[in-house]
Amino acid sequence: MYMKLLQRLSVILICFALTKEALANDSSELTIAVSDIPNLISEDSNDYGPYNHILGEMSDLKFDLLYTPPARAELLFEKKQVDCLFPASVATMSGKNKLIQSAAFDRVQAYLFTSKPYVDISEYKRKAIAIRRGFAYGNIRQKFPAYYVELGSDVLTLEFLKLDRVEGVIGYLSDVRSASKLVATSLPYFNVKSPVYTAEDAIVCRESKDSLDLVGGVNSRLKEMKRTGLLQQLLSNE
């Protein structure tokens, strides 16, 4: 009787192990670290933006979203604690040969915003410029010599500009426009012909079979949304 009990217990344990392995194999969702940017993409439904709605059109694909501040999102990806990063671009990332990038959700520009008109950004060399902490803007800090004041939000950068604590602000047009609405101020001057950085917002992943499948699925959805005009419609509803 004791032997029969052991045999039954062994069968149960084997079945449990096989079930656990099957569940693990079936759970192939990749984790995407998402930079929480109010009015562009956010975990807070009050701050939803166009990227929330675009990803919503891809809900049948296997991925989990981890919302976090931009600097932390990049750190998690660098430490391989998440599989993908969004929004991102391989253009300014190291180890590009091991990364894959989806088609672009949108093409975005960063500008120097100021209180008065200027012709070229070189006029603001070595001057105080507010910039959002955690955003690289094409490694602008290394490329353009200035006294950078690192702040936690685009709202704060605009407040510093309004108080004349800095002479300029660097930020993405969509982000600064949203921030200007929040602080009820007009959009500062920027030279539309001279962006300091242009980027494609995409999903970047470390290359693997699962990530190739995910990027392929994302690209297919984006292509169809472009064909029907839905992508531009969602991007226009900022």
Side-chain angles (χ1 to χ4, degrees):
M1 184 175 177
Y2 181 70
M3 288 300 296
K4 287 183 178 181
L5 183 61
L6 285 177
Q7 288 174 349
R8 287 179 182 177
L9 183 60
S10 297
V11 170
I12 292 171
L13 289 173
I14 291 171
C15 289
F16 176 77
L18 291 173
T19 301
K20 186 176 181 181
E21 182 179 356
L23 288 172
N25 291 334
D26 186 57
S27 178
S28 57
E29 284 89 353
L30 299 180
T31 300
I32 303 174
V34 177
S35 295
D36 199 312
I37 307 170
N39 302 309
L40 182 65
I41 182 165
S42 180
E43 187 173 20
D44 187 341
S45 59
N46 293 320
D47 293 326
Y48 272 9
Y51 288 174
N52 285 100
H53 302 300
I54 293 171
L55 287 177
E57 296 292 323
M58 306 177 185
S59 58
D60 59 312
L61 299 179
K62 289 185 175 182
F63 59 80
D64 291 321
L65 301 178
L66 176 63
Y67 290 91
T68 180
R72 178 161 175 74
E74 292 185 11
L75 184 62
L76 289 172
F77 185 70
E78 289 174 4
K79 290 186 173 182
K80 299 183 179 181
Q81 294 178 4
V82 294
D83 306 290
C84 307
L85 189 63
F86 178 74
S89 169
V90 297
T92 58
M93 299 175 72
S94 58
K96 299 177 186 178
N97 59 323
K98 297 180 181 179
L99 303 176
I100 56 172
Q101 177 176 310
S102 74
F105 283 55
D106 194 16
R107 192 174 178 84
V108 295
Q109 288 82 32
Y111 293 93
L112 171 67
F113 297 87
T114 60
S115 300
K116 56 185 180 181
Y118 64 89
V119 176
D120 188 81
I121 188 176
S122 61
E123 297 171 36
Y124 285 81
K125 277 186 178 180
R126 296 180 179 82
K127 293 187 178 181
I129 295 177
I131 193 167
R132 187 167 175 182
R133 187 182 301 113
F135 283 67
Y137 302 111
N139 295 325
I140 188 66
R141 296 168 182 79
Q142 289 74 42
K143 296 176 180 178
F144 184 74
Y147 172 60
Y148 290 103
V149 181
E150 305 277 348
L151 298 170
S153 71
D154 293 295
V155 168
L156 284 175
T157 64
L158 288 184
E159 288 179 345
F160 268 53
L161 181 63
K162 190 175 181 180
L163 294 170
D164 293 324
R165 296 180 66 178
V166 295
E167 295 190 56
V169 165
I170 286 178
Y172 288 114
L173 176 57
S174 58
D175 296 346
V176 176
R177 180 183 285 125
S178 297
S180 66
K181 292 177 182 178
L182 291 174
V183 297
T185 187
S186 58
L187 185 67
Y189 175 83
F190 66 100
N191 189 336
V192 69
K193 295 181 180 179
S194 300
V196 299
Y197 178 59
T198 300
E200 291 186 339
D201 277 349
I203 294 175
V204 173
C205 303
R206 279 184 296 279
E207 187 172 350
S208 69
K209 180 183 180 301
D210 288 337
S211 65
L212 286 168
D213 289 342
L214 173 62
V215 168
V218 168
N219 290 348
S220 295
R221 302 304 190 282
L222 288 173
K223 184 177 181 180
E224 178 62 16
M225 292 168 72
K226 286 180 181 178
R227 187 188 68 80
T228 62
L230 178 59
L231 181 63
Q232 189 56 44
Q233 179 186 333
L234 293 175
L235 288 172
S236 299
N237 294 332
E238 295 185 5

